[in-house]
Every structure is written in C-alpha cells, then in structure tokens.
C-alpha cells in the first residue's frame, strides 16, 4: 500500500503533470531551464492559466505583455462572438496571473487589470449588440430627434477599478431620455434598451464550451430583481430621491459608467451626487452600516463563513465598509474624499485627518494582503470563491506560491491582518457606547415629558432655576418637530437629550447651557443626521455643552448654522489651529471648488468657510490654545483671504457684463481693526477703495463703462456681496465712512485725488486712521502707490503742540459721546485708560515722530507699533511692557465679552486697574491728557 504523499510532494507532482500536459500541446514550451522554472511557478499558482496555455499555446510568446487589446466582435460573425470574447478574456486573465506570479505587477495593478478586462469586454459587447439591434429596429431617438444610447454603470469593485480576478460584475442600465427607434420595425426606447441589456447578460455570462466571459449581477438596480431592467435618467433620479435606501448610497459611492454613453453617465452621476453625499455631516450613515453588517454577520454564521476573506470578521468587506462610511459621513462637505477606489479614498481620509496616518497604513497593508490572497484563491481554478480551499494540497499550493513554507505561516500572517481590520471596524461602530451614562432619574424625567415628570429632578441635578428649565423642556417636548419624529429619530433624541441634561448640570453655567442647547436641538430636530452626530460622537456632545455654557455667540451660531457641529469633533476641536497661511489656503481651496459663473453658490461656500474657521478660532481662544492677540490677527487674516476671493468673483461678474479696464486696477484698503490685524468675533470691516485708471479710460466690453463708474460698480458689488444674507449667514458688515470726505465723498477715489486729499484737506483724525491702514486685496501697483502716499502723509512735518491739541480734542469728544463706564463698570474700548486711549497715544506718536524715524511707518498692529516707538525713543522704554500687557489684557477681556454677547463693559479689578493706570501714565508723560 502506497504511503500518502506529503503536501510538498503532492504539490510537486501536480506541477509536473501540468507541465507534461503543456508540452504535449506546445513541445517548445520548456525549451530552457529558466523557461521551465517560470512555467512551473505559474502551474503552482493556477490550473486555469495552464489550461488556457494548453488551449492557446501561441499565448506563450506574449505572456509578459501588459494586455490592452480590445476584443473584436465583427458584424456578421454573431455566432462566433461568445467564443471570441471567452478566449480573449482567458488570454488576458492568464497574462494577469503570469505578471502577478513573476512580480511584474503589484496587487493594485492586478485589480486594475481585471477591471480593464471587464471594461473592454463590456464596451465591445455593447457596441456589437447595439449595432445588431440597430440593423433590426433602427436607432432610438428622443422626441427632439437626438440619438439615445445605453449607459452601463459598473458598481462595486468594478466601479472602483478594483475587480477580483474571478468576480461577477454589478451592473445598472440607464438611458438619457425616452423615445422610440427609427427602423422599419420600431421599438419603444425602453424596450430597445431592455433587449440590449438582456443580450449583454447572455453574451457575457452564459457558460459555453469556452467557459464564460463575466458573470453579470443586475440586482443593484432600482427595486432590485423586481425592477425594470433599464430606466431613463429621469426615472433614476425620481427613484433615488423617493425610494433610495442607505445600502444603495454605499453601492453608488463606487458607481462608474463603464460602457455605452460614458459622458452622459457622468452627468447622471453628478445629478445623483446629493443622494449619495449629503451637504452636512451624515452620521446616520452608520445606522445603515450597522444594518448591513448585521445581515452579513447572520449570513456568515448561518453558512459558517467565518474564514471567508471577504465577509468574515476582519475581512475585505469590513475595510470597504469602514472607508465608505467615513466617505458618506464627510464627503458631502469635502469633495476630496469622493474617490471611487478604496485605497485612494483611504489616503484622502488620512490626509484630511479623519483617519490616523498609522491606522490608514495598517488598513491599506491589510487590504492589499487580503485582496492578493483572495485573487490567488480565485486564480487557482477561475472560480468566484473567497475562502481558502478545504483541500490541504490546494491550500499548500497557495501558501507556497505566495512564498510561505506552508499553510501555517500563511494563516499566522492572515490572522494578524484580520485582527487589525476587525479592531478598527469595531471602533467605528462602537463609538457611541464609549460615553458616560446619564443619571437614571434624568432619563425617566425626559421620557415622561411633556405631561409627566417632576421639576425637582432638575433641581437635584444642579439647575438653579429648575422651574424655568422644566418649562423650557416641556415646551420643547411639545414642539411639532419633536412630535413628528420618526421612530429612529425619536430614539436618537431620547439617547441624546438626557445626556445633554446631565452634561449641562455638570457645566459651569447649567442654567445658561440648557436653554442654549435646546435651541440647537430645536434647529436640528427635523434633520436627524445631526442628532446622529451627537449620538455617535460623545466628544462632540461634551464640547457642545461646554460651548453653550460659556458662549452665547457660539451657541447662537450653532443653532443658526448646524453645519458648525463638525467643528466640535475631535480632529477639529483638539487639532492644530490654522495660522494665517493655512487660513488663506483653506479659503483658496474652497474657491477652487466653486462652480463657474455662480455667484450665489460661491457666496454660500465662502460663508461656510468663514463660519467654520471663525468657530474653530473661537473654540481655540476659549480653550486657551491661542492667545487673544493671535486670535485677532488670524481673524483679520480670514477676512483678508475672503476679501481677495470675493473681489475676484465680483470682478469676473462685472467683466462678463462690461469687460475690464485695461492697465488699471482697484485696491481694497483695510482701516481700523482690520488694518491693525486686531479683528474681533463679529467685527465689521472698515474699507476704503482706490483705483489707478486714467481720467479718460473705459472698460473694453460690449457695454463699456468709463473707468470711474466701472470701479465704483465693482466696489458697490463687493460691499453688497459682503453683506448679502445667505443660508450660511453673511460675511461682514462694512463701514466705508473713512473714505475721503466721509459719507459725502466718492465711494472709490483715484490715486491722484486721494493723495491730494491727504495733503490738503484731511483732518488730523483721518491721518491718525492712516497709521493702521494697509492694502488688503486688489492690484499690487495700486498697493505700492498707496504705500507711498501713506508714508508721505505720516512723515509730513507737524507742530507737536497743535498735533496734541487736535488729538486730545477728538478723544475727549469721543469719550463724551461713547464712554459707557460708570460706578462699578468699565468700558474696555472707550473708557479712560482703555483701548482707544492706547490707540490715540500710538497714532499721535507716529504722526509726531515718523518724519525722523521712517521705521514707524511699517507696523500696523498695536504691539508692533509700540515696539517700533520704543526702539525709536519716541515712547519711554519703561512704558513698553506695561502697555503691551495692558493691550493684551483688554483685548482678551473684550473677546470674552463678544463670545458671550455681552457689551465690552466689565467690573474693574486690581489687574484691570493696573492696566488702565499704565495707559494713563504713558499718555500723561507724552503730553496727552484725555
């Protein structure tokens, strides 16, 4: 009795038999030892590839070729089409096996190669079958006479260009418009395309003596297996708008037109984009993911598929679900995440900070390993299987072909990769469970509302005015939005609101936090995806309560613009705070995504950017991660970037109507807190406009305007856009009264008239305003001319006593009209020793000493000006540090007041009194007694 062979011996025997069979068909196949070794490696990996070489021995001469030739299906040879396609696909697939086995392609290239083969087969088949139908029935034309063509969409891995070696292809058929064919035997358009689709399935999928080309699965179409085979674009849009389900959103992430009218298919995908990707953060996508995962887990258990590389724990499907879930959550707002292919999408998520770079690297490594192993399992016999075979010799062959000594070593590495995937996937689904459970009494209280419940529960939890909070909660529970919630939405609210109550009770201001939090919930209740965000992300809910307890302004903005909830997530709230350069890049990125010639969409997008970055800076300021002076400078940088972007939009819009003024440009100047880089949250912008056009210049469009009117319209357009109210708010209020002659003057001044005004007619306070003025947006040539005029004006000789008299008179007048200080309260801006006193001191000293010290003309911000004055000897050195500290303190207190929507009036204390005293002492020593 013969002893059983060892796995190695059995494998070697199989390889030898396969090579002997090949030599029978191609005697020169093993002409050299090197060739024999290469074919032995192929035989070890794939019975299918050796069978193909036996059937097509001429293929031996072109195995190294990368493929790419399209299958030929000539008219008149219809009976031979199935064999041609199948032989072509077998040859192309065998080349893929050869290139994989010999290291010519990595797994990414192999997956792309399998997808290319399917694309080419589909396009060749659609072209051939369309011609066949057209001969019998003519071409389909719409009511307007336009020829209609079928669009074949590839979903799943085909759409992502990452098809398995032996996979079916998930297809959906569509056509642009209804109509009928124009032949002697006309067909209704839908019937024509249905016949085409049916014939396509048969041509590709029927098993013949030559095998099959591609198995076709049409079950992902609208209404699944019971739905019509081909739908018009209009019917597709209607279905997904009314009937589309969560799993279909996942399916259409990867959708790609793979054959037929490709360009038309891309247009339909753009139309369907809002179904796939929401404009807001869509954590409700996780509910659909949980449902799909539960169904798959049940199937795995029922069919004992735990070792399945695709569906089992830590398998390919979990990597796909993880990446696609994060895409559905975020890609509506971040177009860079909308990739069809998994690995580029995973890299984009890492680049955006939504997946840690190390995690993305581990997942990518695991995914590539799983996909390569899955391919090798399928290459063995060209079968659509996703688990290692039961036969020990077959397992050993796969292990050896991949470079392992045996099955045990392969399984050890496989288990390591699957554990990485399983851990990350579990973390995504279980985020909402990592939270502090609310008190049982609060849960029972909320669920008893609006008719039950006892306000004493709120008093016990820590609310001071429990009766008022109880009334707020009962009113909220009675609102139509709450009563109309779906069962799933109500469950989310029931999970979130008790946690909100408990967190508000623990906050520093419970009676402020709760009504502000309820205002937000009132705003988002009808869009339960926001409730899903708070349910899924405990950190976001905790930060929400912290914001509502500390800032009325941010609470109000959250309620008005719930998209800002994104900023409460870990990666944003605790991540790096963008500096001026990064802020400009974020604005430029938003501008690049704007649709051309759509001012309204552009304005809305810029408002969203402004809201998001401003909110992020406010969170960082409250969290002491950014100093108040730095926060003010970054807010000014944000306004500057937005002005540059908006000016380009306004110029382009005006140019479409009236052309441009050749050789001339506009400069937008920032005065006040914008010019001084000390902008607050909610500050308006002080702007002045200059142009350098010649007096007789005009625009070059079909409807020309003289240069003065053209630039005036441009400035008016810019001011209008800055103040326009959109769904995302408005950008800024604008004050243009600092222009020459104030409200009575021209909105836009020529450089010549501006220079003349500064020399001849400007008041002292207008020259003071020039100290902080700087170019913000527009033409560099006008910037340079303005700087020359400003420098000349600041350096002009002045009689010191007269200067001090003018400055003191203006400051006293302002204080009399504007100072709101009183017993026990101090006006940070207008009070004695406040910020405006400090500004007037700095401006007076610059006007007095700039002629002798040109360096005083460079800085615009208060700290920079103070340092320049001290370096020049214009400010006694002993005053520098106390004044810098006073400025920082009052700016900090002012920002706090703004964030909580309080007037900038505070109770004095020792620290503030010392700061005021420092300002008064410096003013007094410099002869400025305000």
């Amino acid at each position: 009795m013969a002893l059983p062979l060892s796995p190695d011996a059995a494998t070697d025997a199989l390889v030898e038999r396969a090579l002997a069979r090949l030599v029978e068909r191609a005697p020169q196949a093993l002409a050299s030892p090197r060739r024999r070794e290469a074919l032995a490696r192929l035989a070890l990996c794939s019975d299918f590839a050796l069978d193909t070489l036996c059937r097509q021995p001429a293929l031996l001469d072109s195995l190294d070729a990368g493929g790419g030739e399209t299958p030929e299906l000539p008219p008149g040879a219809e009976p031979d089409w199935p064999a041609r396609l199948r032989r072509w696909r077998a040859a192309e697939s065998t080349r893929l096996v050869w290139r994989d086995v010999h290291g010519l392609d990595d797994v990414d290239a192999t997956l792309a190669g399998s997808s290319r083969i399917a694309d080419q087969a589909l396009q060749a088949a659609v072209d051939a079958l369309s011609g066949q139908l057209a001969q019998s029935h003519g071409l389909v034309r719409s009511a307007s006479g336009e020829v209609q063509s079928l669009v074949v969409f590839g979903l799943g891995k085909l759409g992502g260009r990452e098809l398995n070696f032996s996979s079916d292809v998930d297809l959906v058929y569509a056509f642009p418009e209804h109509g009928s064919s124009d032949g002697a035997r006309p067909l209704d358009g839908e019937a024509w395309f249905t016949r085409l689709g049916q014939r396509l399935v048969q041509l590709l999928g029927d098993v013949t003596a030559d095998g099959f080309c591609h198995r076709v699965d049409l079950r992902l179409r609208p209404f699944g297996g019971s739905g019509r085979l081909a739908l018009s674009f209009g019917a597709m849009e209607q279905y997904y708008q009314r009937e589309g389900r969560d799993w279909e959103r996942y399916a259409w992430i990867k959708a790609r037109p793979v054959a037929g009218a490709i360009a038309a298919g891309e247009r339909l995908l753009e139309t369907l984009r809002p179904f796939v990707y929401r404009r807001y953060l869509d954590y409700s996508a996780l509910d659909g993911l949980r449902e799909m995962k539960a169904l798959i887990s049940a199937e795995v258990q029922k069919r004992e598929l735990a070792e399945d590389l695709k569906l089992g724990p830590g398998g390919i499907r979990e990597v796909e679900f993880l990446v696609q879930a994060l895409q559905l959550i975020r890609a509506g707002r971040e177009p860079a995440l909308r990739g069809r292919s998994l690995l580029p999408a995973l890299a984009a998520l890492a680049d955006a900070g939504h997946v840690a770079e190390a995690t993305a690297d581990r997942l990518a490594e695991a995914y590539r390993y799983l996909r390569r192993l899955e391919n090798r399992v399928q290459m063995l016999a060209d079968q659509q299987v996703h688990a290692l075979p039961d036969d020990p010799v077959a397992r050993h062959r796969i292990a050896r072909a991949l470079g392992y000594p045996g099955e045990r070593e392969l399984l050890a590495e496989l288990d390591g990769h699957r554990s990485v995937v399983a851990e990350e996937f579990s973390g995504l689904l279980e985020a909402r469970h990592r939270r502090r459970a609310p008190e049982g009494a609060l849960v029972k209280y909320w669920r008893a509302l609006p008719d039950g419940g006892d306000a004493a529960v709120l008093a016990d939890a820590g609310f001071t005015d429990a009766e008022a909070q109880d009334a707020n909660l009962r009113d909220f529970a009675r609102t139509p939005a709450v009563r109309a919630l779906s069962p799933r939405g109500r469950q989310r609210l029931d999970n979130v609101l008790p946690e909100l109550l408990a967190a508000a009770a623990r906050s520093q201001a419970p009676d402020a936090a709760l009504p502000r939090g309820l205002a937000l919930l009132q705003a988002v209740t009808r869009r339960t995806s926001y409730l899903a965000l708070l349910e899924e992300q405990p950190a976001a809910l905790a930060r929400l309560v912290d914001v509502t307890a500390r800032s009325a302004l941010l609470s109000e903005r959250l309620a008005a613009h719930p998209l800002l909830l994104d900023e409460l997530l870990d990666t944003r709230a605790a991540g790096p705070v963008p500096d001026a350069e990064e802020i400009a890049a974020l604005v430029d990125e938003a501008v690049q995504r704007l649709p051309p010639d759509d001012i309204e969409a552009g304005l809305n997008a810029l408002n969203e950017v402004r809201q998001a970055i401003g909110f992020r800076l406010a969170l960082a300021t409250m969290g002491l991660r950014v100093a108040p002076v730095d926060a003010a400078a970054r807010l000014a940088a944000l306004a500057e970037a937005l002005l540059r972007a908006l000016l380009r939009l306004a110029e382009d819009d005006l140019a479409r109507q009236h052309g441009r003024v050749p050789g001339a440009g506009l400069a937008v100047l920032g005065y006040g807190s914008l010019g001084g880089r000390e902008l607050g949250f909610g500050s308006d912008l002080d702007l002045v406009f200059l142009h350098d056009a010649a007096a007789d210049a005009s625009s070059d469009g079909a409807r020309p305007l003289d240069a003065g009117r053209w630039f005036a319209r441009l400035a008016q357009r810019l001011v209008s856009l800055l103040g326009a109210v959109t769904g995302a708010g408005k950008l800024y209020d604008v004050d243009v009264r600092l222009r020459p002659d104030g409200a009575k003057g021209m909105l836009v001044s020529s450089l010549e008239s501006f220079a003349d005004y500064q020399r001849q007619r400007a008041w002292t306070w207008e020259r003071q305003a020039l100290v902080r003025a700087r170019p913000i947006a527009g033409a560099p040539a006008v910037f340079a001319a303005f700087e020359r005029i400003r420098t000349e004006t600041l350096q002009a000789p002045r009689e010191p006593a007269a200067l001090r008299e003018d400055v003191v008179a203006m400051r006293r007048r302002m204080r009399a009209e504007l100072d709101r200080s009183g017993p026990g309260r101090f006006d940070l801006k207008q009070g004695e020793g406040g910020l405006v006193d400090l500004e007037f001191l700095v401006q007076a000293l610059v006007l007095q000493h700039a002629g002798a010290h040109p360096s005083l003309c460079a800085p615009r911000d208060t700290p920079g000006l103070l340092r320049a004055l001290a370096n020049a000897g214009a400010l006694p050195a002993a005053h520098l540090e106390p004044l810098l500290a006073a400025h920082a303190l009052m700016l900090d207190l002012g920002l706090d007041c703004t964030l909580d929507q309080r007037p900038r009036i505070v109770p004095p204390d020792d620290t503030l009194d010392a700061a005021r005293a420092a300002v008064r002492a410096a003013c007094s020593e410099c002869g400025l007694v305000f």
Side-chain angles (χ1 to χ4, degrees):
M1 179 177 177
L3 294 175
L5 295 175
S6 69
D8 272 329
T11 298
D12 291 340
L14 284 172
V15 169
E16 288 301 321
R17 287 197 296 272
L19 293 178
R21 189 159 50 91
L22 178 60
V23 169
E24 290 178 3
R25 300 298 182 90
Q28 301 302 313
L30 309 181
S32 69
R34 183 176 179 182
R35 188 68 166 175
R36 175 186 175 86
E37 179 186 355
L39 287 168
R41 292 174 64 186
L42 184 69
L44 176 65
C45 175
S46 176
D47 294 338
F48 160 76
L50 260 290
D51 288 343
T52 302
L53 291 177
C54 289
R55 291 168 181 254
Q56 303 183 49
L59 185 59
L60 284 162
D61 297 328
S62 60
L63 286 172
D64 287 337
E69 293 183 3
T70 301
E72 296 182 2
L73 303 177
E78 285 84 348
D80 195 36
W81 286 355
R84 285 173 175 264
L85 269 179
R86 283 148 183 76
R87 289 195 295 268
W88 172 84
R89 182 258 173 186
E92 292 294 305
S93 296
T94 296
R95 288 192 181 98
L96 282 185
V97 180
W98 174 271
R99 294 180 64 82
D100 178 26
V101 166
H102 292 94
L104 300 176
D105 287 341
D106 59 16
V107 66
D108 297 18
T110 303
L111 298 175
S114 294
S115 304
R116 172 190 57 78
I117 292 170
D119 285 357
Q120 291 177 314
L122 284 163
Q123 188 63 64
V126 167
D127 289 345
L129 292 169
S130 296
Q132 185 185 54
L133 270 172
Q135 281 187 337
S136 303
H137 304 284
L139 297 172
V140 177
R141 296 185 181 275
S142 66
S144 63
E146 186 176 354
V147 173
Q148 301 297 295
S149 299
L150 184 71
V151 182
V152 180
F153 290 98
L155 276 63
K157 293 183 176 65
L158 174 60
R161 291 191 171 92
E162 51 203 15
L163 196 63
N164 305 340
F165 178 79
S166 186
S167 175
D168 59 4
V169 289
D170 295 310
L171 304 181
V172 172
Y173 302 146
F175 55 91
E177 296 181 48
H178 283 285
S180 59
S181 64
D182 58 6
R185 294 187 295 155
L187 287 176
D188 171 76
E190 184 175 328
W192 198 98
F193 292 120
T194 297
R195 286 195 189 182
L196 174 57
Q198 291 168 337
R199 294 182 184 183
L200 181 63
V201 172
Q202 294 167 353
L203 180 56
L204 293 176
D206 283 355
V207 179
T208 71
D210 295 292
F212 62 92
C213 183
H214 286 89
R215 311 170 193 89
V216 176
D217 189 339
L218 299 173
R219 291 173 297 172
L220 296 183
R221 69 186 186 271
F223 298 110
S226 63
R228 289 160 19 222
L229 206 63
L231 292 179
S232 69
F233 284 7
M236 294 278 284
E237 293 175 43
Q238 187 176 60
Y239 170 82
Y240 289 111
Q241 183 178 1
R242 298 181 179 180
E243 308 284 346
R245 291 158 288 179
D246 283 343
W247 70 261
E248 289 174 301
R249 295 178 60 206
Y250 280 88
W252 280 85
I253 286 176
K254 293 179 177 292
R256 175 173 64 89
V258 295
I262 302 294
E266 292 289 2
R267 291 196 298 272
L268 177 62
L269 287 180
E270 185 62 25
T271 303
L272 297 181
R273 183 179 57 77
F275 163 70
V276 180
Y277 297 115
R278 311 295 198 237
R279 286 191 63 251
Y280 42 83
L281 283 175
D282 187 17
Y283 275 87
S284 64
L286 293 182
D287 283 335
L289 175 57
R290 288 190 179 93
E291 292 172 2
M292 289 188 290
K293 178 58 179 172
L295 291 173
I296 290 173
S297 296
E299 186 73 5
V300 167
Q301 185 174 6
K302 178 181 176 182
R303 296 171 54 194
E304 299 182 349
L305 300 176
E307 294 188 5
D308 193 286
L309 298 170
K310 178 179 178 181
L311 302 179
I316 294 165
R317 183 55 52 85
E318 290 191 356
V319 186
E320 294 172 337
F321 276 170
L322 187 151
V323 171
Q324 290 175 316
L326 293 175
Q327 286 181 284
L328 288 182
I329 289 168
R330 296 184 170 279
R333 299 196 64 202
E334 300 178 55
L337 305 181
R338 295 175 191 165
R340 290 165 173 149
S341 302
L342 185 140
L343 290 170
L346 179 58
L349 287 164
D351 290 343
H354 304 310
V355 176
E357 186 174 345
T359 299
D361 290 342
R362 289 195 301 271
L363 286 171
E365 182 182 1
Y367 177 76
R368 286 189 170 100
Y369 183 89
L370 290 166
R371 294 304 307 275
R372 187 175 188 216
L373 181 55
E374 179 189 46
N375 267 350
R376 288 300 182 90
V377 168
Q378 295 183 355
M379 286 174 178
L380 194 64
D382 194 21
Q383 294 177 339
Q384 189 179 4
V385 290
H386 304 281
L388 290 169
D390 294 330
D391 176 43
V393 175
R395 285 187 172 222
H396 189 74
R397 285 179 64 185
I398 292 170
R400 269 186 52 182
L402 287 168
Y404 295 99
E407 175 187 347
R408 184 177 61 182
E409 291 80 7
L410 182 152
L411 293 177
E413 185 165 356
L414 171 61
D415 289 344
H417 287 301
R418 294 182 75 152
S419 65
V420 167
V421 174
E423 180 181 354
E424 294 300 330
F425 184 72
S426 176
L428 173 70
L429 291 187
E430 295 176 2
R432 67 181 179 190
H433 300 302
R434 300 193 298 268
R435 57 179 8 115
R436 176 175 176 173
E439 300 295 330
L442 290 173
V443 174
K444 293 176 182 177
Y445 165 79
W446 162 248
R447 292 184 178 174
L449 296 181
D451 300 319
D454 187 345
V457 174
L458 299 179
D460 293 341
F463 292 95
T464 303
D465 193 350
E467 294 295 335
Q469 303 303 344
D470 177 72
N472 289 335
L473 283 160
R474 291 181 191 278
D475 288 343
F476 174 71
R478 292 188 181 100
T479 58
V482 171
R483 290 183 174 277
L485 280 171
S486 66
R488 179 181 288 181
R490 180 68 202 207
Q491 183 61 52
R492 285 181 177 142
L493 181 62
D494 287 346
N495 290 339
V496 167
L497 201 136
E499 293 186 30
L500 178 70
L501 284 173
R506 296 191 299 267
S507 73
Q508 66 185 44
D511 290 86
L514 180 56
R516 294 170 183 170
L518 287 178
L520 171 66
L521 292 183
Q522 176 74 44
V524 305
T525 299
R526 294 188 186 277
R527 183 166 283 171
T528 58
S529 59
Y530 291 123
L531 292 176
L533 185 157
L534 297 173
E535 181 186 24
E536 298 285 353
Q537 296 290 320
L541 182 61
R543 288 193 175 92
L544 169 65
V545 173
D546 182 59
V547 167
T548 56
R550 298 172 60 188
S551 175
L553 176 66
L554 296 190
S555 300
E556 183 180 276
R557 288 190 179 178
L558 277 169
H561 309 291
L563 283 171
L564 292 173
L565 284 170
D566 184 19
E567 302 301 324
L568 297 176
L569 298 178
D570 292 349
T571 54
R572 298 287 177 84
V577 183
D579 59 20
E581 184 176 331
E582 291 165 336
I583 287 169
L586 288 170
V587 173
D588 288 343
E589 181 183 333
V591 170
Q592 289 169 10
R593 297 198 302 263
L594 298 181
D597 306 337
D598 191 339
I599 289 284
E600 184 177 352
L603 197 56
N604 200 68
L606 292 177
N607 268 283
E608 288 186 0
V609 171
R610 186 242 174 178
Q611 294 278 10
I613 296 176
F615 194 89
R616 202 178 311 174
L617 290 173
L619 287 179
T621 303
M622 291 196 307
L624 304 180
R625 294 189 295 123
V626 172
V629 171
D630 291 336
R634 295 181 198 203
L635 287 170
L638 173 59
E640 187 171 346
L642 289 168
L643 276 167
R644 288 197 299 267
L646 206 58
L647 180 60
R648 289 196 296 271
L649 291 179
E651 281 182 320
D652 291 344
D653 186 49
L654 187 61
R656 282 190 287 272
Q657 302 173 56
H658 302 287
R660 300 179 188 272
V661 180
L666 180 81
V668 182
L669 310 178
Y671 276 56
S673 57
L674 173 60
R677 296 186 174 89
E678 295 175 6
L679 210 60
F681 297 102
S683 292
D684 60 6
L685 305 182
D686 293 308
L687 302 180
V688 170
F689 304 99
L690 302 180
H691 75 80
D692 63 349
D696 59 351
S698 63
S699 65
D700 58 6
R703 296 161 54 199
L705 295 173
D706 67 74
R709 290 179 63 198
W710 195 93
F711 285 115
R713 287 198 183 182
L714 177 58
Q716 289 166 349
R717 184 70 168 139
L718 179 62
V719 171
S720 175
L721 292 174
L722 284 166
V725 177
T726 72
K730 68 176 178 179
L731 290 171
Y732 298 98
D733 289 320
V734 176
D735 190 337
V736 293
R737 291 174 296 175
L738 291 178
R739 67 187 186 269
D741 290 318
K744 298 178 182 179
M746 300 287 289
L747 180 60
V748 184
S749 302
S750 68
L751 283 172
E752 183 179 355
S753 66
F754 182 79
D756 181 69
Y757 182 85
Q758 296 299 332
R759 283 192 299 267
Q760 304 294 333
R761 296 186 291 126
W763 296 85
T764 298
W765 66 265
E766 291 178 291
R767 291 167 179 151
Q768 286 179 244
L770 271 181
V771 171
R772 297 209 292 177
R774 65 187 176 93
I776 300 294
V782 188
F783 288 3
F786 164 74
E787 291 288 7
R788 289 192 295 271
I789 296 168
R790 175 180 174 274
T791 299
E792 291 170 3
T793 303
L794 296 183
Q795 291 184 317
R798 293 179 178 84
E799 202 284 310
L803 172 64
R804 287 194 293 271
E805 181 179 347
D806 285 349
V807 172
V808 168
M810 175 55 71
R811 181 67 192 108
R812 288 177 176 174
R813 177 182 169 187
M814 288 177 63
R815 180 177 295 152
E817 295 177 0
L818 302 174
D819 186 7
R820 294 172 291 176
S821 302
R825 65 180 191 273
F826 172 64
D827 187 329
L828 289 165
K829 185 174 181 180
Q830 297 292 345
E832 184 182 356
L835 285 169
V836 176
D837 279 6
L838 181 55
E839 290 174 10
F840 269 56
L841 166 66
V842 167
Q843 292 161 2
L845 292 177
V846 169
L847 290 176
Q848 182 176 340
H849 298 284
H853 301 284
S855 61
L856 297 180
C857 296
R860 267 66 164 186
D861 61 299
T862 299
L865 287 163
L866 286 169
R867 292 188 180 95
L869 288 165
N871 290 338
L875 175 71
H879 289 294
L880 177 61
E881 292 304 324
L883 289 179
L884 289 172
H887 175 259
L889 173 66
M890 286 187 270
L891 199 63
D892 186 8
L893 293 172
L895 287 176
D896 280 346
C897 292
T898 301
L899 287 172
D900 208 28
Q901 290 188 323
R902 292 179 281 114
R904 284 187 283 184
I905 300 172
V906 298
D909 57 22
D910 292 345
T911 304
L912 183 56
D913 287 343
R916 295 173 61 195
V919 174
R920 289 197 300 267
C923 290
S924 178
E925 185 166 343
C926 294
L928 298 168
V929 181
F930 298 135

